[in-house]
Structures are given as C-alpha cells and as structure tokens.
Amino acid sequence: EVQLVQSGAEVKKPGESLKISCKGSGYTFTSYWIGWVRQMPGNGLEWMGIIYPGDSNARYSPSFEGQVTISADRSISTAYLQWSSLKASDTAIYYCARARDSSGYWHLSFYYWGQGTLVTVSS
Amino acid sequence: DIQMTQSPSSLSASVGDRVTITCRASQSISTYLNWYQQKPGKAPNLLIYTASSLQSGVPSRFSGSGSGTDFTLTISSLQPEDFATYYCQQSYNTPLYSFGQGTKLEIK
C-alpha cells in the first residue's frame, strides 16, 4: 500500500528555521515526482514546487523560489520542505503529494497525498 | 504563469441534483487539467486527470470534459458525500502546476 506520512504539527517563532518531512512507503521512492502544496487558513491550494527523489532535481513555483527549499533523502525515502527564517505568513497546512505515474516529468497528476503538516508561526 | 479561474466560487445544491463546475485557463492547456475534491480537514483527492480520465475508484457520477481553455466537472446525481470543495489544476506548464481558487459545494 502506497503511503505518504508527514511529520507532526509545528509551532515556531518568526525568524526560526524549520524542516518538515514526508516519508514514502509501499513503492519505489526514487521513481516518482513528489510535490508540495500550501493551504493557508481558510484558503485554497497553492502549488509550491516539486522534486524527483531519484536525482534530487527540484523545481519551484516563482512565488516560493528562494523562500523554501525542497530536498529528498532517498536512503530513507523521505522528502523535505524547509525554511531558514519563518514568517507569520508561513502559517499554513503543508501537503506532500506523489505523482500518479512514474512515466516522466511532464503533465503530472497527484494521486497519493500525505495527511498534511500544520505549521504555526507566531511570536 | 497560467491562471486558473473556477466558477462559481460556491454553489448550493440538493441531493440528486446534476451539478457542473467550470474551470477556465488563461491560455490553452490542451487537455492537461486535473480535478480534485477536498473535504474539511482532509487532503485533496484526485478525481479526474487529463480533463476526462476518471481516476480508479472514483464513482462514475463524476465526469470531466473540455480542452483548450474551458473545462467542466459534472456530478450527475449529487450524493451526500459529494459536498466538499473542488479544485482544478493545470498540468500543462510543467512544473508550475497552478490550481484554481476552488468551488465550495454546499447542501441546499
């Protein structure tokens, strides 16, 4: 059974750093793109970026480029989303999602999702 | 960037109704359009990919159509479990897979 299990909720102060995780199981972790999605309180879904764990090739939406870092450790089948200096506006639920197919880079859809990680940034 | 605009933003309907949600892209995206359903406190669930392909396990009352810039998600006969928020997502502009703003489907 394919599963994506995300790390638990975090409460941080502005300026702190954070790294949240998404552990894949039940499939070949290195063969499928993983994306990250933000959902701010009461708002819709925002696409942040994507990574191919096979070679750690990461791409970012312009809105998030330079604001976060997406990485992966294939030895433990885990993808990461990290911030070096959190802002209050980073308060949101963050989802990881795995591509439906391993057929390539283009035109992906996302079938398997993590349960979400709530990040709260408040002084 | 490709902008995705859904209409309506919210919709009230009754069990058994036929419902259509529209998604418009700011430029042609061929048929690279996905639809997701999200219930409160849950992760999104893929319903339709490449505009009209029904994801395995999704009830056949859900269908998608369209190409170019205009797309629709249709629920043929609303069931109680269908009340949720629906999002379209373009997958044309890899890897910038932007979402629509969502359509909240509520019980009338």
Side-chain angles (χ1 to χ4, degrees):
Chain A
E1 179 195 7
V2 174
Q3 283 192 306
L4 295 176
V5 178
Q6 297 186 230
S7 50
E10 301 274 3
V11 179
K12 292 289 191 179
K13 295 186 184 324
E16 292 186 332
S17 62
L18 176 65
K19 193 174 190 178
I20 62 175
S21 66
C22 169
K23 183 173 176 61
S25 62
Y27 72 99
T28 303
F29 183 72
T30 51
S31 297
Y32 293 80
W33 288 85
I34 289 180
W36 286 94
V37 173
R38 182 175 79 175
Q39 188 166 38
M40 299 175 75
N43 285 14
L45 305 174
E46 298 176 87
W47 184 259
M48 300 179 71
I50 194 169
I51 189 164
Y52 187 69
D55 59 8
S56 290
N57 179 10
R59 308 291 178 90
Y60 298 88
S61 172
S63 301
F64 294 94
E65 180 95 52
Q67 308 304 308
V68 297
T69 301
I70 296 171
S71 61
D73 184 340
R74 56 189 181 183
S75 69
I76 54 172
S77 300
T78 301
Y80 300 98
L81 178 65
Q82 70 180 91
W83 296 259
S84 59
S85 180
L86 286 159
K87 310 179 190 67
S89 58
D90 293 317
T91 295
I93 297 172
Y94 294 87
Y95 293 102
C96 63
R98 197 209 80 174
R100 180 181 176 278
D101 301 306
S102 65
S103 55
Y105 171 70
W106 300 98
H107 313 307
L108 301 176
S109 56
F110 292 84
Y111 180 51
Y112 296 99
W113 291 69
Q115 81 277 19
T117 296
L118 174 62
V119 174
T120 303
V121 184
S122 174
S123 54
Chain B
D1 286 9
I2 299 176
Q3 307 302 319
M4 307 300 294
T5 303
Q6 292 180 229
S7 60
S9 295
S10 63
L11 174 61
S12 294
S14 302
V15 173
D17 283 354
R18 180 182 180 90
V19 166
T20 297
I21 297 169
T22 297
C23 179
R24 174 164 288 175
S26 59
Q27 67 181 74
S28 177
I29 57 170
S30 184
T31 58
Y32 297 115
L33 192 283
N34 306 316
W35 288 98
Y36 297 86
Q37 176 195 66
Q38 187 181 32
K39 296 182 179 179
K42 299 294 186 182
N45 180 42
L46 178 66
L47 300 174
I48 302 283
Y49 59 98
T50 53
S52 61
S53 296
L54 189 69
Q55 172 62 38
S56 176
V58 174
S60 58
R61 62 181 179 273
F62 290 91
S63 64
S65 65
S67 65
T69 60
D70 294 317
F71 302 85
T72 59
L73 173 69
T74 299
I75 310 171
S76 60
S77 179
L78 268 176
Q79 299 302 301
E81 60 268 29
D82 300 337
F83 292 95
T85 300
Y86 293 85
Y87 294 92
C88 63
Q89 179 197 37
Q90 63 83 15
S91 60
Y92 177 84
N93 189 18
T94 301
L96 306 180
Y97 295 134
S98 46
F99 291 96
Q101 81 279 15
T103 295
K104 187 173 184 179
L105 179 52
E106 298 174 305
I107 300 173
K108 184 182 285 185

PDB file of all heavy atoms in Angstrom, chain A residues 52-67:
ATOM      1  N   TYR A  52      12.241  15.322  -7.827  1.00  0.00           N
ATOM      2  CA  TYR A  52      12.382  13.940  -8.252  1.00  0.00           C
ATOM      3  C   TYR A  52      13.424  13.300  -7.345  1.00  0.00           C
ATOM      4  O   TYR A  52      14.612  13.609  -7.446  1.00  0.00           O
ATOM      5  CB  TYR A  52      12.826  13.870  -9.711  1.00  0.00           C
ATOM      6  CG  TYR A  52      12.821  12.474 -10.267  1.00  0.00           C
ATOM      7  CD1 TYR A  52      11.619  11.812 -10.477  1.00  0.00           C
ATOM      8  CD2 TYR A  52      14.010  11.819 -10.575  1.00  0.00           C
ATOM      9  CE1 TYR A  52      11.600  10.530 -10.983  1.00  0.00           C
ATOM     10  CE2 TYR A  52      14.002  10.537 -11.077  1.00  0.00           C
ATOM     11  CZ  TYR A  52      12.786   9.883 -11.281  1.00  0.00           C
ATOM     12  OH  TYR A  52      12.775   8.614 -11.785  1.00  0.00           O
ATOM     13  N   PRO A  53      12.996  12.432  -6.430  1.00  0.00           N
ATOM     14  CA  PRO A  53      13.950  11.881  -5.459  1.00  0.00           C
ATOM     15  C   PRO A  53      15.072  11.066  -6.094  1.00  0.00           C
ATOM     16  O   PRO A  53      16.112  10.875  -5.468  1.00  0.00           O
ATOM     17  CB  PRO A  53      13.060  10.998  -4.581  1.00  0.00           C
ATOM     18  CG  PRO A  53      11.706  11.601  -4.688  1.00  0.00           C
ATOM     19  CD  PRO A  53      11.609  12.071  -6.104  1.00  0.00           C
ATOM     20  N   GLY A  54      14.871  10.618  -7.324  1.00  0.00           N
ATOM     21  CA  GLY A  54      15.917   9.821  -7.970  1.00  0.00           C
ATOM     22  C   GLY A  54      17.218  10.570  -8.148  1.00  0.00           C
ATOM     23  O   GLY A  54      18.306   9.993  -8.035  1.00  0.00           O
ATOM     24  N   ASP A  55      17.090  11.910  -8.423  1.00  0.00           N
ATOM     25  CA  ASP A  55      18.306  12.703  -8.595  1.00  0.00           C
ATOM     26  C   ASP A  55      18.242  14.028  -7.846  1.00  0.00           C
ATOM     27  O   ASP A  55      19.085  14.913  -8.065  1.00  0.00           O
ATOM     28  CB  ASP A  55      18.578  12.958 -10.072  1.00  0.00           C
ATOM     29  CG  ASP A  55      17.446  13.698 -10.763  1.00  0.00           C
ATOM     30  OD1 ASP A  55      16.509  14.144 -10.067  1.00  0.00           O
ATOM     31  OD2 ASP A  55      17.492  13.843 -12.000  1.00  0.00           O
ATOM     32  N   SER A  56      17.223  14.179  -7.003  1.00  0.00           N
ATOM     33  CA  SER A  56      17.004  15.396  -6.204  1.00  0.00           C
ATOM     34  C   SER A  56      16.839  16.650  -7.063  1.00  0.00           C
ATOM     35  O   SER A  56      17.127  17.764  -6.606  1.00  0.00           O
ATOM     36  CB  SER A  56      18.127  15.599  -5.181  1.00  0.00           C
ATOM     37  OG  SER A  56      18.029  14.606  -4.174  1.00  0.00           O
ATOM     38  N   ASN A  57      16.385  16.477  -8.273  1.00  0.00           N
ATOM     39  CA  ASN A  57      16.066  17.601  -9.150  1.00  0.00           C
ATOM     40  C   ASN A  57      14.812  18.293  -8.612  1.00  0.00           C
ATOM     41  O   ASN A  57      13.729  17.720  -8.608  1.00  0.00           O
ATOM     42  CB  ASN A  57      15.817  17.066 -10.559  1.00  0.00           C
ATOM     43  CG  ASN A  57      15.458  18.154 -11.542  1.00  0.00           C
ATOM     44  OD1 ASN A  57      15.558  19.340 -11.253  1.00  0.00           O
ATOM     45  ND2 ASN A  57      15.054  17.763 -12.732  1.00  0.00           N
ATOM     46  N   ALA A  58      14.962  19.534  -8.152  1.00  0.00           N
ATOM     47  CA  ALA A  58      13.850  20.272  -7.555  1.00  0.00           C
ATOM     48  C   ALA A  58      13.527  21.504  -8.391  1.00  0.00           C
ATOM     49  O   ALA A  58      14.436  22.189  -8.874  1.00  0.00           O
ATOM     50  CB  ALA A  58      14.177  20.679  -6.125  1.00  0.00           C
ATOM     51  N   ARG A  59      12.252  21.763  -8.569  1.00  0.00           N
ATOM     52  CA  ARG A  59      11.776  22.951  -9.281  1.00  0.00           C
ATOM     53  C   ARG A  59      10.755  23.671  -8.408  1.00  0.00           C
ATOM     54  O   ARG A  59      10.020  23.023  -7.684  1.00  0.00           O
ATOM     55  CB  ARG A  59      11.131  22.546 -10.611  1.00  0.00           C
ATOM     56  CG  ARG A  59      12.010  21.661 -11.480  1.00  0.00           C
ATOM     57  CD  ARG A  59      13.202  22.396 -12.033  1.00  0.00           C
ATOM     58  NE  ARG A  59      14.068  21.541 -12.833  1.00  0.00           N
ATOM     59  CZ  ARG A  59      13.935  21.366 -14.137  1.00  0.00           C
ATOM     60  NH1 ARG A  59      12.979  22.005 -14.790  1.00  0.00           N
ATOM     61  NH2 ARG A  59      14.752  20.576 -14.788  1.00  0.00           N
ATOM     62  N   TYR A  60      10.709  24.988  -8.542  1.00  0.00           N
ATOM     63  CA  TYR A  60       9.876  25.791  -7.652  1.00  0.00           C
ATOM     64  C   TYR A  60       8.913  26.662  -8.440  1.00  0.00           C
ATOM     65  O   TYR A  60       9.250  27.182  -9.515  1.00  0.00           O
ATOM     66  CB  TYR A  60      10.761  26.689  -6.791  1.00  0.00           C
ATOM     67  CG  TYR A  60      11.709  25.935  -5.877  1.00  0.00           C
ATOM     68  CD1 TYR A  60      12.965  25.551  -6.335  1.00  0.00           C
ATOM     69  CD2 TYR A  60      11.340  25.613  -4.575  1.00  0.00           C
ATOM     70  CE1 TYR A  60      13.838  24.850  -5.510  1.00  0.00           C
ATOM     71  CE2 TYR A  60      12.212  24.928  -3.738  1.00  0.00           C
ATOM     72  CZ  TYR A  60      13.451  24.543  -4.216  1.00  0.00           C
ATOM     73  OH  TYR A  60      14.306  23.854  -3.397  1.00  0.00           O
ATOM     74  N   SER A  61       7.743  26.885  -7.864  1.00  0.00           N
ATOM     75  CA  SER A  61       6.854  27.922  -8.355  1.00  0.00           C
ATOM     76  C   SER A  61       7.516  29.267  -8.060  1.00  0.00           C
ATOM     77  O   SER A  61       8.147  29.429  -7.005  1.00  0.00           O
ATOM     78  CB  SER A  61       5.512  27.839  -7.628  1.00  0.00           C
ATOM     79  OG  SER A  61       4.702  28.925  -7.959  1.00  0.00           O
ATOM     80  N   PRO A  62       7.401  30.254  -8.953  1.00  0.00           N
ATOM     81  CA  PRO A  62       8.060  31.551  -8.728  1.00  0.00           C
ATOM     82  C   PRO A  62       7.704  32.181  -7.377  1.00  0.00           C
ATOM     83  O   PRO A  62       8.556  32.830  -6.770  1.00  0.00           O
ATOM     84  CB  PRO A  62       7.546  32.397  -9.888  1.00  0.00           C
ATOM     85  CG  PRO A  62       7.257  31.421 -10.964  1.00  0.00           C
ATOM     86  CD  PRO A  62       6.757  30.187 -10.272  1.00  0.00           C
ATOM     87  N   SER A  63       6.481  31.946  -6.915  1.00  0.00           N
ATOM     88  CA  SER A  63       6.055  32.545  -5.651  1.00  0.00           C
ATOM     89  C   SER A  63       6.842  32.012  -4.460  1.00  0.00           C
ATOM     90  O   SER A  63       6.898  32.653  -3.414  1.00  0.00           O
ATOM     91  CB  SER A  63       4.570  32.297  -5.412  1.00  0.00           C
ATOM     92  OG  SER A  63       3.802  32.834  -6.461  1.00  0.00           O
ATOM     93  N   PHE A  64       7.429  30.848  -4.610  1.00  0.00           N
ATOM     94  CA  PHE A  64       8.116  30.185  -3.495  1.00  0.00           C
ATOM     95  C   PHE A  64       9.619  30.061  -3.721  1.00  0.00           C
ATOM     96  O   PHE A  64      10.339  29.688  -2.777  1.00  0.00           O
ATOM     97  CB  PHE A  64       7.488  28.806  -3.255  1.00  0.00           C
ATOM     98  CG  PHE A  64       6.067  28.879  -2.770  1.00  0.00           C
ATOM     99  CD1 PHE A  64       5.013  28.806  -3.662  1.00  0.00           C
ATOM    100  CD2 PHE A  64       5.789  29.065  -1.431  1.00  0.00           C
ATOM    101  CE1 PHE A  64       3.698  28.905  -3.231  1.00  0.00           C
ATOM    102  CE2 PHE A  64       4.475  29.148  -0.978  1.00  0.00           C
ATOM    103  CZ  PHE A  64       3.442  29.078  -1.879  1.00  0.00           C
ATOM    104  N   GLU A  65      10.081  30.377  -4.899  1.00  0.00           N
ATOM    105  CA  GLU A  65      11.518  30.308  -5.188  1.00  0.00           C
ATOM    106  C   GLU A  65      12.258  31.224  -4.231  1.00  0.00           C
ATOM    107  O   GLU A  65      11.910  32.407  -4.061  1.00  0.00           O
ATOM    108  CB  GLU A  65      11.770  30.747  -6.635  1.00  0.00           C
ATOM    109  CG  GLU A  65      13.226  30.715  -7.052  1.00  0.00           C
ATOM    110  CD  GLU A  65      13.593  29.412  -7.760  1.00  0.00           C
ATOM    111  OE1 GLU A  65      12.892  29.068  -8.707  1.00  0.00           O
ATOM    112  OE2 GLU A  65      14.583  28.783  -7.343  1.00  0.00           O
ATOM    113  N   GLY A  66      13.287  30.678  -3.574  1.00  0.00           N
ATOM    114  CA  GLY A  66      14.061  31.486  -2.635  1.00  0.00           C
ATOM    115  C   GLY A  66      13.457  31.579  -1.245  1.00  0.00           C
ATOM    116  O   GLY A  66      14.113  32.046  -0.310  1.00  0.00           O
ATOM    117  N   GLN A  67      12.203  31.162  -1.103  1.00  0.00           N
ATOM    118  CA  GLN A  67      11.532  31.226   0.199  1.00  0.00           C
ATOM    119  C   GLN A  67      11.613  29.906   0.949  1.00  0.00           C
ATOM    120  O   GLN A  67      11.574  29.886   2.187  1.00  0.00           O
ATOM    121  CB  GLN A  67      10.059  31.613   0.012  1.00  0.00           C
ATOM    122  CG  GLN A  67       9.829  32.864  -0.812  1.00  0.00           C
ATOM    123  CD  GLN A  67      10.572  34.063  -0.245  1.00  0.00           C
ATOM    124  OE1 GLN A  67      10.448  34.383   0.944  1.00  0.00           O
ATOM    125  NE2 GLN A  67      11.363  34.739  -1.086  1.00  0.00           N
TER     126      GLN A  67
END
